[in-house]
Structures are given as structure tokens and as C-alpha cells.
Amino acid sequence: MDLEPSVAVAAEAEPDSPIVATAYGPVRGFRAGKTSMWRSIPYAAAPVGSLRFRSPQAPESWDDPRDCTEYGQIAPQTIGKVPIDPNLTPGEDCLWLNVWSPATDGEPRPVMVWIHGGAYCLGTSAQKIYDGRLLSELGDVVVVSMNYRLGALGFIDLSSFSTPDHIFETNLGLRDQIAALEWVRDNIAAFGGDPGAVTVFGESSGAGSVTTLMTSPRAAGLFHGAIAQSSPATSVYGAERGASVARRYLEIAGVEPADVGRLYEMPVMEVIAASDALSDETSANAPGTLAAAPVVDGDIVPGYPVAAFKKGLSHRIPFIIGTNEEEAALFRFIKSPLLPVTPDAVNAMLRGIAEDHPDLSPERLAEIISAYPDVAKAKGAMAISTDAGFRMPSLWVAEGHSRHSPTWFYRFDHATPMLKAARVGASHGTELPYVFGNFGTLNVDPTFWLGGRKTALEISGRIQRRWLAFAAHGVPAAIDGSKHWPPYDEAKRLTLLIDTADAVVADPDRSLRETWGDEVLGFS
């Protein structure tokens, strides 16, 4: 979605109700401490009616200041699966973003654009944990967070069933993200941001979006640095698999291929209910895979991202990537089927890997399994799942990118005493409050029941200062005596281990990395 560059500037307004003019019309926000905030600014039209399964389109313009002090509809999803304010309402008018800014005048500030996670089917930028105020104030940066379409509306590839009357486009969630980044390019200067200094960052499927966008020609030039926290980089599927998933989706939705246009007319929550059912079925029948995920379409996603990184086809920008020490433990704790955490489920996942990679010999697979002595127990199963889903793909991505651009690799190892006692540890998503500085955002948050707040706040400060230095300078500089973090390369593989005291270690997962090699899940 291309727009004419905006030359709008901040309009006069009351100090507590800042008004900024965008390419589509003025928006009124509010002050929170030292920061101005605008919620639910539309970056695209509501994808309803004939736009439901199409690329995002520009919103209609408006003349009077639009109130942007409350959150609007969030992407349709089943509420209750992730921590979301129950007052938020799912709906299709969800293509909006939020902005936090220290000031709308003076020198342009670096911009950080957040892409939330949620397995491509859950979540919203309105979650309290993603509030960007503290990050904006600490770093004197403009923070942006976006919504995008999820589940069947955003990441199930129905394009093989398109007809002249009803067209279904690919990778709609990624198209939404690109449209949001185009809005940032064209409008963020009016909010005090520098459109030439944009860092995109995300976690889980948000990080998977980051690594995918880093190989998308359509996203080239829209951001100038990237941070990927726990990216499932290999959860991108081919067109044939995408068509198979779409066929099963139609069966669950009760829609005949000849009558596919019904999907444009179905109540939106029925569309989502069918994709939820498909997601559960996929997790049960093919552990370790997702029903809703990006697909290789030759356009937005020209090829498998991991292969693109290996071939040197990722955008030439500075890059931070890393994982958490015990990613899979969260999925065991919340009893989520999205990641296999039992020996049976992990064995099924490994059989699926072997089927998808016929060149992978039984001996090679056995060698990988033998590297995990507790594979018959939950501990070993979770270790394999962590490495297959997050750690190894992230290492492969770092290897490829480091051959041509500055790259930094980390492993988040810290867990509070309570999280250790609950056997959650440094699991998937536990670094999020450290990045944003937002602790206690759950209705019942046990994080500090056994202490550890002071240490956590110190670690949070270090992470935030590194992320902010990266956004400002393209280097996660050591600040306030923090451990120097050298770039990653294939010779030394220096990795920052984030814990009570940070440490830089050469190739900390060497034996497992060498056992896996770089061909098992890398796709060619």
C-alpha cells in the first residue's frame, strides 16, 4: 500500500490532548507521564465485505480530529487463550496501530515498531505487557505497535481456491504488517520519529514475521534494523502444504470448494472457530507444525526464509536474534498443544521431520535423538522441542546473516525463584516484561512471589538499554558497565547469556549445534 509522503506536522492542541495530522486526517491522543500516546490509529481500511481476504487498502480520510485515546477492535480470535483485557472486543476493524512519543518536535527520534506474537492466531498490540511508554521514556524513542489479521483471516492460504468472483490473496497478515510499516514510513515524522531509523522487533510468531520480512522484497527499505526474540523461523510452509491445509479448513468450515465465496459472507467468529478447530487438529496430528503460518507464495515470501538467510538473500541491516533457555517449558505449564512437550508428541514431530526430509537418514535422526539423554522423559522431550522449534532455526538464521551484516546472538537464561520453583524457568515469552519494563500485567502474576524483583529490574534495565542503543546506533552498545557484546560470526559464535550477571560465551550450544547440523530443518 503506497502513500504519498506525509508532510504533516503536529497541530496546535491542549497539552493533555496532543493532535497530530496524518496522511488521512488528524488524530487526538493523550498524555501519560512524559509521553504522548495515540491508540488505534487506522493504517488501513477495515477488511470487511469484499476486502475480507484481500490486501489491505488505504482507509477513508477524515477532517475532524479522530479520537485515539481508546483501543478499538482487536483481530478476531478466541478470547481467553492469551492474557487480554476482557473489555477488548474482537472485530474485523482491527488494522490499527499505537504510537508512543516523547515529543513531536525537535530532532527526529529513532523508531521501534513492535510485532506481537501468538502463533499467528492470537494476541493484540493492546495487551498491557506491550505498552511502550516506559521504553519510549527511557530511550527517547518513538514506539509503535501494530495489529494484523490472524488465523484464517491472515495466515491460511486459500489462494488455490480463488475464483474470478472471489479472490483469496496469500499471507494477508504479512501484507498487513507491510502496510503498517509503510504507514510508519509516511507518517511517523509528524509524531517526532525518524522514518530513516526504524527498527522492527517481535517475539514468537512476531519474531517469525520479522525473520520472514527480512527476506521479503516487498519489505525492503521499510526498516533499518531488526530484533527477533524466539523466532520459529522454519514455521513457513510451501504452497502445496498450504493448499492442503486450506482444503481441510474448508471441510471443517462446511464449505464446498465450488461455494468458496461463502467465506466472504460467514459471520467472522465462525471463520475463526473453524481455524481454531484446524489448529487443534494440526497440533494433534502433526506436532510441531502450525495450521496458520506464512507460506511461500513467490511474492511476499519468495522462498523459505531460512534458506534465504543461508543464501545471503536477507536484507543488509543490523540484526539481533536469540532464544530463551527453556522455550518449551511454558507450553507444558499452560498445557498448550502448540509445541510438543511429551515424549510421544516429540517422537511424532521427529517422524514428521523425517517424512518431510527423505534425505534425512534414520541413522542421522537417531544421532540427533541420542544427543538428548532424557528423551524418554518430559525434560528431554522439551529440550528437543526447544531446539527444533526455536534455537537451531535461530542459529541458522544468525549464521547466514552474519556473513554479510552485523549480527548479535543472545540466550535469555534468567528466571525468578518462583518461575524456577514452578519448573517454568526461562521459558517462551518470559523475557517480554524485561524488554518493555512492564511487570505485573497478568491478573494474577506469581513472578515475584518468592522474591527476585530487584534483580529482575536490573536485568530489564540492561536489556532495554541494549535494545535502545541498537535502535539508535545499530549496535547494542555496552552501557553503564554492562558486559561488552561482540558481534556473532561463524568463527567464534560469541553469544550473550543474559542472567543475573551477563556473560559472553563462545558457542555455548556447540555440541547440540554440531549434532543437528544445518540441513535438518533449513529447507533448500
Side-chain angles (χ1 to χ4, degrees), residues 9-15 17-21 26 28 65:
V9 297
E12 291 188 11
E14 294 297 322
S17 302
I19 295 177
V20 167
R28 178 188 290 111

Side-chain angles (χ1 to χ4, degrees), residues 120 174 202-215 228-238 288 290 293-296 301 303-310 319 321-323 327 339 385-399 409 428 521-523:
Y120 299 110
L174 294 176
E203 183 267 345
S204 193
S205 58
S209 297
V210 169
T211 50
T212 301
L213 292 174
M214 286 180 68
T215 66
Q229 302 167 202
S230 303
S231 170
T234 50
S235 292
V236 178
Y237 304 109
L290 300 174
V295 295
V296 176
V301 186
Y304 292 109
V306 171
F309 275 98
K310 289 168 61 179
F319 184 37
I321 185 169
T323 65
E327 297 277 5
L339 199 70
S385 199
T386 289
D387 290 346
F390 300 102
R391 185 164 298 145
M392 296 306 147
S394 294
L395 283 168
W396 299 330
V397 164
E399 287 174 359
F409 199 86
H428 193 66
L521 298 175
F523 301 101

Side-chain angles (χ1 to χ4, degrees), residues 12-19 29-33 35-36:
E12 291 188 11
E14 294 297 322
D16 292 334
S17 302
I19 295 177
F30 64 97
R31 293 284 293 178
T35 304
S36 293

